[in-house]
Amino acid sequence: MHLAYPAVLAVLIFCTGLYGVLARRNAILVLMSVELMLNAVNLNLVAFDVWLRDALHAGQALTLFTIAIAAAEIGIGLAIVLAVYRNRGSSDVDRLRDTAETDDAETLPDAYAGDTTADQATAPAGKAKKAEATA
């Protein structure tokens, strides 16, 4: 078999996975697209291993390690997605930015943005409210 056939198939699978990662908003579909990309790499590893006639079959051994790492990655990723879905009610990737913690200066209203004395006066009050909320 010619090397070009599995290489072209791997490129098509990889590009499909890359499109899925860049275009999708659902976290589960993004994880599935990452799996497609890893499978394209595995296809290349096995194809080049057969083409080079490696006595140690290093490409196939590396493929087994990649499959094991991909299984662990999808398990952890799915657990994170389920935890986010339970807390937020959506697995939309764009809404995950809301979970990031921000500084007190970033959470102040825009009316106080130019007034540094107001920032200094409200910063301790904001920290006190944050401490009460976490207690």
Side-chain angles (χ1 to χ4, degrees):
M1 182 164 68
H2 206 271
L3 181 63
Y5 299 128
V8 168
L9 180 63
V11 166
L12 291 174
I13 292 172
F14 189 86
C15 288
T16 304
L18 185 65
Y19 172 75
V21 167
L22 295 176
R24 298 293 177 179
R25 293 186 180 183
N26 190 350
I28 295 175
L29 292 178
V30 170
L31 288 174
M32 289 173 59
S33 299
V34 169
E35 291 295 321
L36 272 177
M37 293 167 61
L38 287 172
N39 286 331
V41 171
N42 288 340
L43 180 62
N44 269 334
L45 285 171
V46 171
F48 277 96
D49 182 50
V50 170
W51 183 64
L52 293 174
R53 293 183 178 89
D54 187 17
L56 296 176
H57 300 291
Q60 293 179 19
L62 191 57
T63 298
L64 290 175
F65 284 117
T66 307
I67 291 170
I69 289 173
E73 173 256 334
I74 199 70
I76 293 171
L78 190 59
I80 291 171
V81 168
L82 287 174
V84 167
Y85 181 77
R86 285 182 182 164
N87 287 336
R88 297 278 176 171
S90 173
S91 62
D92 190 11
V93 176
D94 291 335
R95 293 186 61 197
L96 291 180
R97 289 186 219 155
D98 299 337
T99 61
E101 291 186 21
T102 58
D103 293 337
D104 289 334
E106 294 177 5
T107 59
L108 290 175
D110 291 335
Y112 297 112
D115 188 13
T116 57
T117 57
D119 287 346
Q120 293 171 355
T122 58
K127 288 181 182 178
K129 287 181 184 178
K130 189 174 182 180
E132 291 175 335
T134 58

